[in-house]
Amino acid sequence: MEKVWLKSYPPGVPAEIDMSRYASITALLEESFGAYRAKPAFACMGKTITYGELDQLSQRLAAWFQSRGLARGARIALMMPNVLQYPVALAAVLRAGYVVVNVNPLYTPRELEHQLKDSGAEAIVILENFAATLDAVIANTRVKHVLVASMGDLLGAKGFIVNFVVRRVKKMVPAWSLPGHVRFNDAIGARTKFQRVEQTLDDVAFLQYTGGTTGVAKGATLLHRNLVANVLQSAAWTAPALARLPAGAQAVTAAALPLYHVFALTVCGLLTIRTGGLAILIPNPRDIAGMIKELHGYSVTTFPAVNTLYNAILNHPDFDKLDFSHLLVANGGGMAVQEAVAKRWYERTHTPIVEGYGLSETSPSVTCNPVTATEYTGTIGLPLSSTEISIRDDEGNELPIGAAGEICIRGPQVMAGYWQRPEETAKVMTADGYFKSGDVGVMNERGYIKLVDRKKDMILVSGFNVYPNEVEDVVAKLPGVFEVAAVGVPDPHSGEAVKLYIVRKDAALTDKDVFDYCKTQLTGYKRPKIIEFRNDLPKSNVGKILRRELRDGRV
């Protein structure tokens, strides 16, 4: 396919990125540690660490890992929310020559055991709040080295108070026993000698596990080249917006999305370090009041979020306490951004939500709307620099502009494959090197791509395709609707019918209101036949509504 999207690029965004400057993602990070030494890098719970401190702390922790006798390329799991220990551990594992295995701290013992066994992790850094989960399964894994962090680590004198409140007052640390574990602060205070490791772009950097919402969680094998590429692609794409920063000012990112998720890992973590910005870490983004309190006093310039988080913060009574007067970029990803939410965000902040698209398998960013956009486009934007998109049918044939088909991706950010699953890898890679996303999309003549839906979420009503995103986007505009999910359910007449799960904003909203509204907005076969009101909807760790759980009746 001709790269029609290049003619829509904003001025200054290159068609290709140059990766020759870096031998690894470690080299990229270390360059920033030196260049921005005195600047604040990460802040959490009132404590800030500088780039120089991040350099020193991560080097000490890297030396401690090396002193354990772990072979180069060993997998080390990180099981923490957004706390200061996370970026320190992340940089330490990479600098020591090991592989980061990001783990959702809210995993059940079964989910944790699967990921530790599948990755072959030999060590783990875990927040003590979740140590009981590890305690339940560690005997069934290869983990031999356990580093336990407390919420108050790295907070100085304040840390004692934080730990007392977390352990004794809020009772957030269930009983656990992990013989031989080492405390995080003891490890960074050990002062063992760090041995610099020569790395290449073809070394493995991360095993980033897919959410598991489509089956068994698989580890996307991300090489150093994949992460270097995506950081440089993201930096090139956001440069036109960050160029509007006043001279000498520092970009400030609200890091509410969890860093163990690939979207936040790159956009909030690695990209922040690359650009010398400050990331405000939010340990619990579900606590909207707590997040607003944490961000209070900062002039936020970058706000990456998913649709549900934008919606929740807009509906909070303390929203206006936040300073978005210098907001330059509001990134939307992880799920479709609904037009109703995007319009309200723009009305309140005068900055559009710039929607993008990516996957764990693509490090993650693939497409994005230009940061120079002034309005909601309803698309996932244009392919990033050095990225090719091909829209293909089920037989692998490329489709013309305007035709709906599977989004296939080729570029330096595409994974090396699924960890130790060659057959699964073969299923998603084409002979000419494209990754098959499993998502249905349409590209227009300007190169913008509209995400129609995931193939497996598609609802088939009397032979007609119904895409849940379209139905949800329509219903979300109805006053009184807070959140909505559309799924297909068996129907004796049409094969499948559309069912809506709705969380009300207005308790007076009835199913008749919704049915009547849909009659004016959707053609017959797209209209819902069943509506169920709920107090909440099941969501993934980053707030993406889990349609499959609703469809399968698991919640």
Side-chain angles (χ1 to χ4, degrees):
M1 177 180 285
E2 179 193 355
K3 297 180 181 180
V4 296
W5 52 85
L6 293 179
K7 62 187 177 185
S8 299
Y9 270 22
V13 175
E16 305 289 332
I17 53 163
D18 178 11
M19 296 173 55
S20 62
R21 182 171 168 181
Y22 301 104
S24 64
I25 190 66
T26 306
L28 183 148
L29 299 181
E30 290 180 338
E31 180 183 78
S32 289
F33 295 164
Y36 309 114
R37 203 154 193 83
K39 286 188 174 184
F42 291 91
C44 186
M45 293 184 284
K47 173 68 175 178
T48 300
I49 59 173
T50 65
Y51 280 88
E53 290 168 329
L54 180 55
D55 180 19
Q56 293 173 349
L57 292 169
S58 63
Q59 192 170 125
R60 287 184 204 164
L61 187 56
W64 182 85
F65 280 127
Q66 291 175 333
S67 73
R68 304 297 97 180
L70 294 163
R72 178 172 174 163
R75 275 77 64 203
I76 298 180
L78 304 184
M79 190 170 176
M80 294 176 284
N82 288 7
V83 290
L84 292 174
Q85 297 93 313
Y86 180 90
V88 171
L90 179 83
V93 173
L94 293 172
R95 298 179 85 177
Y98 304 130
V99 177
V100 175
V101 181
N102 276 316
V103 180
N104 180 351
L106 299 180
Y107 267 168
T108 63
R110 180 190 62 80
E111 292 165 324
L112 174 61
E113 181 178 344
H114 165 74
Q115 191 160 324
L116 293 178
K117 289 169 73 172
D118 190 78
S119 65
E122 297 178 60
I124 187 170
V125 187
I126 187 169
L127 193 70
E128 64 178 1
N129 304 45
F130 313 102
T133 309
L134 177 63
D135 190 6
V137 301
I138 190 169
N140 303 327
T141 73
R142 293 179 56 192
V143 173
K144 295 293 184 288
H145 307 284
V146 179
L147 202 56
V148 179
S150 302
M151 190 69 81
D153 292 344
L154 304 180
L155 297 183
K158 182 183 178 181
F160 294 103
I161 299 172
V162 170
N163 286 339
F164 177 80
V165 172
V166 169
R167 294 169 183 164
R168 307 297 181 195
V169 180
K170 296 187 177 181
K171 301 187 186 304
M172 297 171 66
V173 183
W176 57 274
S177 174
L178 293 165
H181 76 272
V182 175
R183 286 285 176 177
F184 186 89
N185 278 353
D186 292 336
I188 60 174
R191 305 288 180 142
T192 50
K193 185 170 176 56
F194 171 62
Q195 302 292 329
R196 186 165 295 279
V197 179
E198 292 299 321
Q199 296 169 314
T200 73
L201 289 172
D202 291 321
D203 287 334
V204 180
F206 290 83
L207 293 187
Q208 195 69 32
Y209 278 74
T210 60
T213 56
T214 57
V216 176
K218 303 180 289 290
T221 304
L222 303 182
L223 308 180
H224 281 260
R225 80 165 59 252
N226 300 144
L227 275 302
V228 169
N230 211 230
V231 170
L232 295 181
Q233 289 168 322
S234 301
W237 200 258
T238 56
L242 296 184
R244 302 201 302 271
L245 270 174
Q250 185 180 27
V252 177
T253 297
L257 298 178
L259 292 170
Y260 56 79
H261 186 271
V262 69
F263 178 26
L265 169 68
T266 297
V267 176
C268 299
L270 302 176
L271 181 59
T272 292
I273 294 174
R274 161 70 181 176
T275 56
L278 168 63
I280 314 302
L281 300 177
I282 308 299
N284 180 15
R286 294 175 189 268
D287 176 10
I288 302 298
M291 178 175 72
I292 291 174
K293 182 179 179 182
E294 193 78 30
L295 293 175
H296 187 69
Y298 290 102
S299 182
V300 176
T301 57
T302 308
F303 193 87
V306 294
N307 186 80
T308 46
L309 180 56
Y310 280 118
N311 193 26
I313 196 170
L314 280 166
N315 280 285
H316 197 277
D318 291 337
F319 178 82
D320 290 328
K321 291 183 179 179
L322 294 175
D323 180 6
F324 285 124
S325 62
H326 295 91
L327 186 63
L328 299 174
V329 182
N331 307 92
M335 64 183 293
V337 175
Q338 293 169 340
E339 185 177 3
V341 173
K343 285 187 173 181
R344 287 177 56 224
W345 178 264
Y346 187 78
E347 288 167 3
R348 301 287 289 276
T349 68
H350 308 294
T351 303
I353 295 176
V354 178
E355 187 172 3
Y357 167 77
L359 308 99
S360 296
E361 293 91 340
T362 56
S363 310
S365 303
V366 172
T367 69
C368 194
N369 277 276
V371 294
T372 52
T374 56
E375 60 185 4
Y376 173 81
T377 69
T379 75
I380 54 172
L382 308 164
L384 299 184
S385 307
S386 297
T387 303
E388 297 173 88
I389 298 292
S390 177
I391 306 296
R392 300 188 175 188
D393 64 20
D394 291 342
E395 284 70 51
N397 302 307
E398 191 164 80
L399 295 169
I401 293 291
E406 185 170 12
I407 298 172
C408 299
I409 305 146
R410 187 166 66 182
Q413 71 271 53
V414 175
M415 68 172 182
Y418 291 117
W419 178 249
Q420 297 183 336
R421 294 176 187 267
E423 292 181 358
E424 292 294 321
T425 302
K427 290 178 184 177
V428 297
M429 297 302 300
T430 67
D432 54 349
Y434 280 83
F435 169 71
K436 298 191 287 185
S437 70
D439 290 320
V440 179
V442 177
M443 182 183 292
N444 68 20
E445 66 282 353
R446 296 175 57 214
Y448 284 82
I449 300 164
K450 184 171 180 60
L451 187 63
V452 184
D453 230 311
R454 286 201 64 80
K455 292 170 79 171
K456 58 185 148 298
D457 279 344
M458 190 173 65
I459 305 166
L460 194 63
V461 179
S462 300
F464 291 95
N465 294 339
V466 179
Y467 298 104
N469 277 354
E470 179 187 5
V471 179
E472 291 167 0
D473 202 46
V474 166
V475 177
K477 296 173 186 173
L478 179 63
V481 171
F482 177 63
E483 289 180 334
V484 58
V487 303
V489 294
D491 185 272
H493 304 291
S494 57
E496 282 189 303
V498 178
K499 178 176 181 178
L500 297 183
Y501 291 88
I502 293 175
V503 178
R504 295 181 178 100
K505 188 191 305 181
D506 180 358
L509 183 74
T510 67
D511 54 1
K512 184 178 185 301
D513 295 332
V514 181
F515 286 133
D516 289 346
Y517 176 74
C518 289
K519 283 181 181 177
T520 69
Q521 302 294 320
L522 295 167
T523 190
Y525 67 89
K526 295 182 181 179
R527 295 173 196 160
K529 295 291 188 292
I530 309 164
I531 294 172
E532 181 175 328
F533 292 107
R534 293 205 168 189
N535 293 326
D536 53 47
L537 299 178
K539 298 184 181 74
S540 70
N541 54 301
V542 292
K544 184 176 181 179
I545 293 171
L546 299 174
R547 293 189 189 119
R548 179 172 177 167
E549 291 200 4
L550 292 167
R551 187 169 58 242
D552 293 350
R554 287 187 280 167
V555 291

